[in-house]
Amino acid sequence: MSRRSLRERIRPLLARILAARTAQSTEANDVAASDLVIVAPTPLRSDRGQPGEVSALVTVSPRSSHRVAAVVDALRQSAPPGTDIVVARYLSPGQTGNVSLADTGGALVIDGLHASYGSALNAALARASGEVVIVVDADFSLRPGSVERLVEAAQRGRVAQALAVSASGLVLSAGVGAEHRRILPFHLLQGHVEDDPGLPRDGVDVGGLGVPVFAASLAALGGVSADAGQQEALATLSRHARSSGLPIHLESDARVDSSLHAIDPPHPAAPDSRSWEPLIADTHEFFLHSGFRVDRVLPRAHTGEHREATVVLRRSAPVNSPHATPRRRWAVKTAAHPGAAGATWGDTFFARDLAAALRAGGEDVLIDNRETIVRPQSDYLDDVILTIRGLERVPINPTAVNVLWIISHPDAVTDDELADYDIVFAASELWAAEATRRSGVQVVPLLQATAPNRFHPGDRVEELRSDVLFVGSTRNVFRPVVRDALAAGADVAIYGDGWSDFVPHRVIRSGHLNNRDAPAAYRSARIVLNDHWDDMARHGFHSNRLFDAVAAGALVISDQVPGLDDIFGTSVRSYTTVNELAQMLAPGARGWPNENERIQNAERIASLHSFDARARTLIAAVAAFVGQPSVS
């Protein structure tokens, strides 16, 4: 059959499919204004909710209709048994179309498409039967444990809000606050990273609700205006709670994620700004507990008699801190992606271990991913920028002390980049000396490190036992150390993604090894394999895996890198040919240390090359640079 005749036969079929899809789309999206539902607020009797029971109300707009089943499933898994779940659909301002729900997870869907968030909320509240109500908009994903924390707080007589986090890892809202009667309310800590050291870990009262994910007793919730948008509805609910004497509490450990990168500014809490006074008082209390104070308020625009403004913060010692002055605030910059995409990156674990060590050394620390490296709403508060150099160059912060630590990809680092920084470290003595001579910038050797509290000798774990172990992805190539080990006839076990195109399926244990299992996996293997990027090996940069595996008591075979013997002793051997590798891998091969030597090597790595030791070096270098003692 010719191509032309095939196209002629297929064309009518494609036309029919397209017409059917167009008809479905028109049917789904062509909603007349007369078809929209408007539900006015209904007075809620204080005795209406069934004692001890919980109702979950899910609101959904067209942009989040595909997420309803996931939200309902999370509620079913986390809410108390017997929780009734109600779904109400609505249109946001400027939206058109319908809300098509392919799967609701068995929740009750209220008939009709509501003309506003307020109308949908009123309808859902009217269906609620529990003593406690948890409200979740489908724009937000519930993290494990969040539902339980919100419900428990509501049962203790609070109106509890979750901490909302954007797709990039920045806070969308930690509640609503106000600074002055003529300045419009604002979202607390918006634009800060979610592990900001100023975020009250035990939660704190706030002025008002900022996002539509909260829990409260049904008696605490009045109805809202039938045409209210989200922020106006939240302001009304906040005002009702405050007038009832109920605190609005940020449950900072109850966290929800959103694909949104921004949310609407808070609606004024009440037409009469004098009623904002309690909100202003709560905001000042929030900042006191957070270690901030309002330094300046910069007006942006007028809205009636009120002004929109940017609130500029300054740091202070939190009220519960033993320190008279705030501790230095460090921002550790990584190349990892935000969220699940970067959760398995080595840079992520490296930054977490380093941050823990810096905190133990008396510093405040937050971690930035590649999308939060520049934070216009909060990075002016940082004292020290510590860039863990990955593949890409990171902008410096002119208001902070800028520290560069090069742990990989040295060929990507230029001399002018080195000159941008106040302090430069490199995880190679060889490269540090070369770069200093070449650039004229003092580059100080600072090798990679391990966390001895996790990576230490111990018992082997049968489920993780292997003969020859490799942990890592393919990097889109058949990594030489794995290729050579298989060629040498080794019984290799691989944890990592992308390997199905290169090795037999029997060799792959899993696409990922949980970091908490890595120490046991290393010490449960007879031999651990390791390799480096070409420029790292050439310039003497030793992989973080070497420090972790040796600290766990493992024996390691690696590609050749200058200085291996000096640092790791007899626990690490390098090879050049497949035959040489086969001899090292043979059971009973000579040259390996005995058990006592392995433990001694592990203890030496733990003592000299821990993240605690690296943190002490970094803190001392910054203190010397600014000419002040470190705060501890």
Side-chain angles (χ1 to χ4, degrees), residues 288-340:
L288 282 173
H289 282 83
S290 303
F292 297 115
R293 60 179 174 82
V294 175
D295 182 69
R296 283 173 293 162
V297 177
L298 304 178
R300 294 199 310 266
H302 285 270
T303 303
E305 63 173 314
H306 303 103
R307 292 178 293 175
E308 294 182 14
T310 298
V311 178
V312 180
L313 302 178
R314 282 291 176 263
R315 294 190 301 114
S316 60
V319 293
N320 58 351
S321 171
H323 307 292
T325 57
R327 309 194 298 183
R328 286 201 187 98
R329 177 182 166 102
W330 292 58
V332 178
K333 310 285 185 179
T334 75
H337 291 282

Side-chain angles (χ1 to χ4, degrees), residues 30 50 60 79 92 122 195 197 310-311 337 393 524 577 611 625:
D30 187 15
Q50 296 297 315
V60 54
S92 294
N122 288 336
D195 69 338
T310 298
V311 178
H337 291 282
R393 188 169 180 169
S524 300
T577 67
F611 278 105
F625 179 82

Side-chain angles (χ1 to χ4, degrees), residues 585-600:
L585 288 170
R590 296 182 178 181
W592 290 111
N594 59 33
E595 188 74 15
N596 286 336
E597 286 181 90
R598 284 205 290 180
I599 292 176
Q600 289 174 2

Side-chain angles (χ1 to χ4, degrees), residues 223-552:
V224 301
S225 172
D227 61 353
Q230 277 188 2
Q231 289 300 325
E232 183 179 0
L234 295 177
T236 301
L237 294 172
S238 300
R239 187 169 68 253
H240 188 279
R242 298 182 70 90
S243 65
S244 302
L246 294 176
I248 300 170
H249 195 80
L250 169 69
E251 288 292 321
S252 52
D253 285 336
R255 302 194 176 186
V256 293
D257 298 292
S258 176
S259 59
L260 303 175
H261 288 274
I263 54 178
D264 293 335
H267 191 278
D272 182 0
S273 62
R274 287 175 295 181
S275 66
W276 299 9
E277 295 293 352
L279 188 150
I280 294 170
D282 276 348
T283 301
H284 286 186
E285 191 70 16
F286 175 89
F287 283 142
L288 282 173
H289 282 83
S290 303
F292 297 115
R293 60 179 174 82
V294 175
D295 182 69
R296 283 173 293 162
V297 177
L298 304 178
R300 294 199 310 266
H302 285 270
T303 303
E305 63 173 314
H306 303 103
R307 292 178 293 175
E308 294 182 14
T310 298
V311 178
V312 180
L313 302 178
R314 282 291 176 263
R315 294 190 301 114
S316 60
V319 293
N320 58 351
S321 171
H323 307 292
T325 57
R327 309 194 298 183
R328 286 201 187 98
R329 177 182 166 102
W330 292 58
V332 178
K333 310 285 185 179
T334 75
H337 291 282
T344 61
W345 279 44
D347 286 17
T348 299
F349 299 117
F350 189 97
R352 288 176 182 170
D353 285 333
L354 178 58
L358 288 167
R359 292 182 188 116
E363 308 293 276
D364 284 336
V365 189
L366 56 90
I367 300 173
D368 281 303
N369 60 59
R370 64 170 56 200
E371 292 188 18
T372 66
I373 281 174
V374 177
R375 291 176 276 104
Q377 292 171 289
S378 62
D379 60 13
Y380 65 91
L381 294 163
D382 303 334
D383 297 314
V384 183
I385 305 301
L386 173 55
T387 297
I388 307 300
R389 182 58 155 87
L391 278 170
E392 298 176 0
R393 188 169 180 169
V394 173
I396 63 167
N397 184 335
T399 66
V401 178
N402 290 273
V403 183
L404 178 65
W405 190 1
I406 304 157
I407 65 171
S408 64
H409 305 295
D411 282 355
V413 181
T414 62
D415 291 350
D416 67 308
E417 180 178 355
L418 298 178
D420 279 347
Y421 283 83
D422 301 307
I423 305 169
V424 181
F425 294 101
S428 164
E429 294 184 358
L430 178 64
W431 192 87
E434 292 174 351
T436 299
R437 287 194 299 269
R438 184 186 68 243
S439 68
V441 176
Q442 181 65 42
V443 180
V444 180
L446 190 65
L447 306 185
Q448 293 205 49
T450 189
N453 61 316
R454 293 189 294 116
F455 293 93
H456 54 77
D459 295 334
R460 292 174 172 83
V461 177
E462 188 61 35
E463 293 80 7
L464 295 171
R465 188 181 291 272
S466 61
D467 189 56
V468 179
L469 172 68
F470 182 81
V471 180
S473 68
T474 64
R475 299 173 179 164
N476 298 317
V477 297
F478 197 169
R479 292 175 71 155
V481 71
V482 176
R483 181 195 62 209
D484 293 346
L486 291 172
D491 180 14
V492 179
I494 296 176
Y495 292 88
D497 59 16
W499 283 103
S500 57
D501 293 335
F502 298 97
V503 300
H505 183 72
R506 61 177 172 78
V507 174
I508 305 170
R509 287 276 182 95
S510 175
H512 170 63
L513 177 65
N514 194 302
N515 189 252
R516 67 171 178 265
D517 294 327
Y522 288 151
R523 59 177 175 258
S524 300
R526 186 175 66 85
I527 300 289
V528 174
L529 300 176
N530 178 75
D531 65 1
H532 299 80
W533 292 95
D534 288 343
D535 59 344
M536 289 181 66
R538 189 169 65 251
H539 292 296
F541 284 77
H542 303 107
S543 164
N544 182 250
R545 186 185 295 110
L546 291 171
F547 293 90
D548 287 343
V550 174

Side-chain angles (χ1 to χ4, degrees), residues 30-189:
D30 187 15
V31 179
S34 59
D35 294 330
L36 296 177
V37 177
I38 300 175
V39 176
T42 302
L44 302 178
R45 301 194 316 270
S46 61
D47 61 344
R48 191 177 128 203
Q50 296 297 315
E53 293 188 5
V54 176
S55 292
L57 313 181
V58 180
T59 54
V60 54
S61 69
R63 70 183 174 197
S64 57
S65 59
H66 63 288
R67 300 206 59 264
V68 171
V71 173
V72 170
D73 184 59
L75 287 165
R76 290 208 184 282
Q77 292 184 32
S78 304
T83 296
D84 59 303
I85 303 176
V86 174
V87 176
R89 299 170 292 169
Y90 70 95
L91 291 180
S92 294
Q95 287 183 326
T96 58
N98 210 325
V99 180
S100 178
L101 300 179
D103 185 4
T104 63
L108 171 66
V109 180
I110 298 175
D111 291 336
L113 178 62
H114 291 265
S116 68
Y117 175 83
S119 175
L121 183 61
N122 288 336
L125 287 171
R127 295 290 186 95
S129 59
E131 182 180 29
V132 166
V133 172
I134 179 168
V135 177
V136 181
D137 192 82
D139 268 338
F140 297 87
S141 302
L142 295 156
R143 291 191 192 176
S146 295
V147 172
E148 296 93 329
R149 291 185 177 93
L150 291 173
V151 170
E152 288 170 4
Q155 290 170 335
R156 295 196 302 270
R158 296 168 169 174
V159 177
Q161 180 192 299
L163 179 74
V165 181
S166 75
S168 61
L170 294 177
V171 172
L172 288 169
S173 180
V176 167
E179 167 58 21
H180 188 276
R181 287 194 302 163
R182 294 195 177 277
I183 299 297
L184 291 174
F186 54 91
H187 290 289
L188 294 166
L189 296 189

Side-chain angles (χ1 to χ4, degrees), residues 591-626:
W592 290 111
N594 59 33
E595 188 74 15
N596 286 336
E597 286 181 90
R598 284 205 290 180
I599 292 176
Q600 289 174 2
N601 288 338
E603 291 175 344
R604 182 168 47 81
I605 292 298
S607 174
L608 299 177
H609 302 289
S610 68
F611 278 105
D612 287 337
R614 299 295 181 262
R616 288 193 292 270
T617 298
L618 291 163
I619 292 169
V622 170
F625 179 82
V626 300

